[in-house]
Amino acid sequence: MSAARERLYLFDTTLRDGAQTNGVDFSLEDKRVIAGMLDRLGVDYVEGGYPGANPTDTEFFAEKPPFRNATFTAFGMTKRAGRSASNDPGLAALFEAKADAVCLVAKAWDYHVDVALGITNEENIDCIADSVKAIADRGLEPMIDCEHFFDGYKANPDYALQCARAALESGARWVVLCDTNGGTLPDEIFEIVTEVCKHIPGEHLGIHAHNDTENAVANSLAAVRAGVRQIQGTLNGIGERCGNANLVSLIPTLLLKSAFADRFETGVGEAGLLSLTHVSRSFDELLNRAPNRQAPYVGESAFATKAGIHASAIVKEPETYEHVTPECVGNQRRLLVSDQAGKSNLMAELSRIGIDVEKSDTRLNALLREVKEREAEGYSYEGADVSFEMLARRILGSVPDYFKVESFRVLVERRYNALGNLITVSEATVKVEVDGESMTSVGEGNGPVNALDTALRKDIGKYQPFINDLRLVDYKVRILNGGTGATTRVLIESADGQGNRWFTVGVSPNIVDASFQALIDSVRYKLLRDGAPAE
Amino acid sequence: MSAARERLYLFDTTLRDGAQTNGVDFSLEDKRVIAGMLDRLGVDYVEGGYPGANPTDTEFFAEKPPFRNATFTAFGMTKRAGRSASNDPGLAALFEAKADAVCLVAKAWDYHVDVALGITNEENIDCIADSVKAIADRGLEPMIDCEHFFDGYKANPDYALQCARAALESGARWVVLCDTNGGTLPDEIFEIVTEVCKHIPGEHLGIHAHNDTENAVANSLAAVRAGVRQIQGTLNGIGERCGNANLVSLIPTLLLKSAFADRFETGVGEAGLLSLTHVSRSFDELLNRAPNRQAPYVGESAFATKAGIHASAIVKEPETYEHVTPECVGNQRRLLVSDQAGKSNLMAELSRIGIDVEKSDTRLNALLREVKEREAEGYSYEGADVSFEMLARRILGSVPDYFKVESFRVLVERRYNALGNLITVSEATVKVEVDGESMTSVGEGNGPVNALDTALRKDIGKYQPFINDLRLVDYKVRILNGGTGATTRVLIESADGQGNRWFTVGVSPNIVDASFQALIDSVRYKLLRDGAPAE
């Protein structure tokens, strides 16, 4: 909290450069939600898109989001050569946008000025200077992204610097050095930025790094060490090709590692840092993709330990085994229940899921024995917390069965239909008993497990209302020992209408059997979670 | 190719530290396949596991894999204090292993020596020295992983250095500096390694980095710049918590970026580099997980461009928009507007499997179209060469069908048997036609696919002798789009009595159907390979 710390600015381009990610396509509503998340997190600039380039972005800039802190920034290009800035249609669209700041991309590599733009070096300098002035004249904060800056600098350092200086001298608040191809390594970044800082004060310089050599985070840090005071990046590192610098990894390093935390302060405070795991995972939810378990700081496995020898030491002295505490980024420690697990792993895991039990309780030994036996059979609870929870509750306490499955039958048939085409049909029959009453349901599906799931969930009597919003969202199968005597492990991911997601596991030589176990565990968990009455 | 370049050694720990990854569980067969991949790639050391710690690792070290280049390395711990090395059960298990080298983990942080081991600093030094000597005495190459080296160095540099020196002076070929917690940043690594190099020659030092701040690759590169000459890492960066340094990202940087390529050479040559994309994706297939599209160098999107403005320029001048060429790492450019790139790629793949075809052959277009359509449906030929070969032969040349399957039916039933126990039975009926004659076979199995396989292979008439030695050795299932409307991809690995192994793929919404396609492809390939007569 020392007043001597310098201010470091965070510029988020998730909604602009991040939108270049293969497979990512933000709706207007997505953009609004994400912009709000970023503002609450505490980033300084939210680059919302490229107004004028597509209808979504134009509409997004039709009104200013209700930001508390962030500067709402529009992206665009410098004016075309031969026009005046006041007469350029691209700039005109930017001036109509309700932005506080405008970031313009400009060429800084003489080769591209010649080949891609087909104009002279002087004309390009004029485009930069004139466009920056026009933005400043409208009372907006101007900044310039110097495209291919590092390649340009290596090819012609004088010209690359001229472009940067022209921007600064015309009033740009920030001159951002972009490693557009993503191929520059950390020490090259450090050396070049150090040189640039001799000509342009670091408090006007930014870094925009891409991850093509897996160094985007390191490159951003190297640039800060060399003098830049603005970092551009995206949530979870999304972006074109291999992605942009990952702000979710950078923020904790800047706030928690003394090499940076002692020298700098950012707009992200303690509360923002605490929300980081949630922000990262919510963003993945919004993209409809599974969060990266191994993500630095925020991943589900980021503070997970499997090794038995380490596990008991971690319980005693976590700070000597963890580089930061999981809690300060809103994450949590996980001691994996694996075949190397000891009692301390098990107790820690139980307390995490809200089951308190005395260390002396003999049922704990029974549970440990059962877990070890099941893991020897092929169960893996590492990825299936809920199956572990259901097993623990069955052995330690009392979780009702709710219903009993008396039998099932699945038929898959491939044959010619009346039109002479080969078709495959799957059909399942399930007989369940609820409150002493037997019910038989039939279901069809596009495969045996889908047919079984359909039949099972068609009628479980009084419990039916509890599972109406239950969905299977993913299904994974792993064959454990190979060959015909193999054991099959099935992992099912379920979700409900309240936004909950959970994993269950089943193991059997028979894939249908294994799937059925995981299905049943999932259904019973849903009943437990929502407080369904026991028989 | 200059003789002046220094040798840099690559040490792969996928099978040891990588096995700590949450959710990863290698079988013996997995270990064999991965070790072979690593040897062919050209890494110098393959750390296969921890013999004595679990039955799989002990069995894996019961015989030496047929490596061409790599040094087969066992992992273990230094002897317990108070024992002689010749009397230590942990070391004894290592000496029974058929390894060429042994890497022992040792404490280098005085705090952990005290708290975790409960021994004196001197006793720990003795454990290191005595264990290293015992390994060298057996004619094995000794090396030491200095656990928590960087935290230890910060706390007590003299003691951390003493541990490292004791290892070196006792005969360790390598002293590996481990950032066990993964929290050290690149310039701290650079500074500390620079200091260490004043005491221990860099040609005896290694770096072992973890990705907890997303800097494992940068940390490894910083350590090399500061003097170390061995890098430890894993395929695709798997490993405990956030993973280890990613060799798949490091290798191209070391071989292609002049800051490293001009100074160093590695055991990975041009051919290894060309195979890198294939190695990375095959490894993910083996782990049964979707490859990371955004992976540096090898990801499907690593050379993909969505930006309209860039796309046409890239076609004209790719080298100014790409930091390296996609081809040199076996990857390909993807312009989301054109599929022009496909044909030369396809030709290369065909020539690789021994099918020669003229570029002007119109059947090539038909094959390209079919491959693209199938890939859109979910087929992936990366991990299933034989299914690709069978498809290509069907479209380009003439591969006979040999037999026709008219229909099949699979029944899975769970019910109580006469003793009142719940049992699950699987039964399949398959009707095949060979030489115009129909045959119906019935098979039972421990699951639907096994029953189907049994029935199919019970009787295919005159072809029966050709498939008697055919075995299914592995079976993997991946659900592609999640949820109930999902597509299922099945990958089957087959083997025969002559030591051949091959992979086939099937795709369908129905898992039984998908499995059946892959089975049929495998059986037909076996008939083709062994020269069975056509109908």
Side-chain angles (χ1 to χ4, degrees), chain A residues 80-96:
Chain A
R80 297 235 179 141
R83 289 179 193 267
S84 80
S86 58
N87 207 11
D88 186 89
L91 290 178
L94 290 173
F95 295 143
E96 271 169 39

Side-chain angles (χ1 to χ4, degrees), chain A residues 19-24 77 107 109 111-112 115-116 147-148 180-187 211-215 217-218 221 225 237-243 246 249 253 257 259-260 293-297 301-307 309-310 317 320-323 334 336 340 382-383 404-416 422 424 426 446-448 450 453 472-480 482-486 489 509-513 516, chain B residues 19-27 30 77 107 109 111-112 115-116 147-148 181-187 211-215 217-218 221 225 237-243 246 249 253 257 259-260 286-288 293-297 301-307 309-310 317 319-323 334 336 404-416 422 424 426 446-448 450 453 472-477 479 482-486 509-513 516:
Chain A
Q20 298 297 322
T21 315
N22 189 1
V24 165
M77 290 170 105
K107 303 275 181 204
W109 185 358
Y111 178 82
H112 274 208
V115 171
E147 202 190 38
H148 295 287
T180 309
N181 293 351
T184 312
L185 298 178
D187 9 305
N211 207 31
D212 298 71
T213 67
E214 211 180 318
N215 280 303
V217 162
L221 297 175
R225 282 195 311 117
I238 70 163
E240 194 171 26
R241 302 188 314 273
C242 307
N246 185 354
S249 296
T253 293
K257 297 288 179 179
F260 294 93
R293 282 176 165 197
Q294 298 212 292
Y297 296 104
S301 300
F303 298 92
T305 288
K306 196 168 172 179
I309 30 165
H310 284 176
E317 305 269 353
T320 77
Y321 286 89
E322 288 167 350
H323 69 120
R334 288 186 70 212
L336 301 176
Q340 291 147 10
E382 281 176 17
K404 211 161 89 186
V405 178
E406 296 188 327
S407 65
F408 67 72
R409 196 167 59 231
V410 184
L411 179 77
V412 180
E413 190 169 13
R414 181 180 232 203
R415 53 176 164 78
Y416 289 96
L422 263 180
T424 309
S426 303
N446 51 23
N450 183 224
D453 179 42
L472 298 196
V473 290
D474 204 1
Y475 174 80
K476 285 189 166 41
V477 181
R478 175 119 164 100
I479 309 301
L480 295 174
T484 41
R489 178 163 72 214
N510 191 315
I511 192 173
V512 176
D513 235 7
F516 192 69
Chain B
Q20 298 297 323
T21 315
N22 186 2
V24 165
D25 188 15
F26 296 123
S27 68
D30 289 341
M77 290 171 105
K107 302 275 180 205
W109 184 358
Y111 178 82
H112 274 208
V115 171
E147 201 189 42
H148 294 289
N181 293 352
T184 312
L185 297 178
D187 9 303
N211 208 31
D212 298 70
T213 67
E214 212 179 318
N215 280 303
V217 162
L221 296 175
R225 283 196 309 117
I238 69 163
E240 194 170 28
R241 303 188 314 272
C242 308
N246 186 354
S249 297
T253 293
K257 296 289 177 179
F260 293 94
L286 213 137
L287 291 179
N288 197 19
R293 281 177 164 197
Q294 299 212 290
Y297 296 104
S301 301
F303 298 92
T305 289
K306 195 170 174 181
I309 28 163
H310 285 177
E317 307 268 354
E319 65 279 9
T320 75
Y321 286 91
E322 288 167 351
H323 69 119
R334 291 184 67 214
L336 308 169
K404 211 162 93 186
V405 177
E406 297 190 327
S407 66
F408 67 70
R409 195 167 59 232
V410 185
L411 179 78
V412 180
E413 191 170 13
R414 181 180 232 203
R415 54 178 163 77
Y416 289 97
L422 261 182
T424 309
S426 302
N446 51 23
N450 182 223
D453 179 42
L472 298 195
V473 292
D474 206 359
Y475 173 80
K476 285 186 171 22
V477 182
I479 309 301
T484 41
N510 190 317
I511 192 172
V512 176
D513 235 7
F516 192 69

Side-chain angles (χ1 to χ4, degrees), chain A residues 229-261:
Chain A
R229 293 297 173 259
Q230 189 210 81
I231 301 178
Q232 297 199 343
T234 60
L235 285 177
N236 296 348
I238 70 163
E240 194 171 26
R241 302 188 314 273
C242 307
N244 290 55
N246 185 354
L247 287 181
V248 175
S249 296
L250 280 162
I251 289 169
T253 293
L254 296 172
L255 271 74
L256 297 172
K257 297 288 179 179
S258 63
F260 294 93

Side-chain angles (χ1 to χ4, degrees), chain B residues 408-411 426-430 441-445 448 451-453 455:
Chain B
F408 67 70
R409 195 167 59 232
V410 185
L411 179 78
S426 302
E427 194 186 285
T429 312
V430 177
S441 303
V442 179
E444 281 185 41
L452 194 58
D453 179 42

Side-chain angles (χ1 to χ4, degrees), chain B residues 149-150 153 161 177-178 184 186-202 205-208 219-229:
Chain B
F149 184 84
F150 295 92
Y153 187 91
L161 277 173
L177 312 177
C178 301
T184 312
D187 9 303
E188 284 180 296
I189 297 273
F190 184 80
E191 284 160 28
I192 294 175
V193 172
T194 301
E195 283 305 309
V196 173
C197 284
K198 294 177 183 163
H199 305 272
I200 295 179
L205 289 175
I207 180 75
H208 175 109
N219 283 348
S220 305
L221 296 175
V224 171
R225 283 196 309 117
V228 314
R229 293 297 173 257

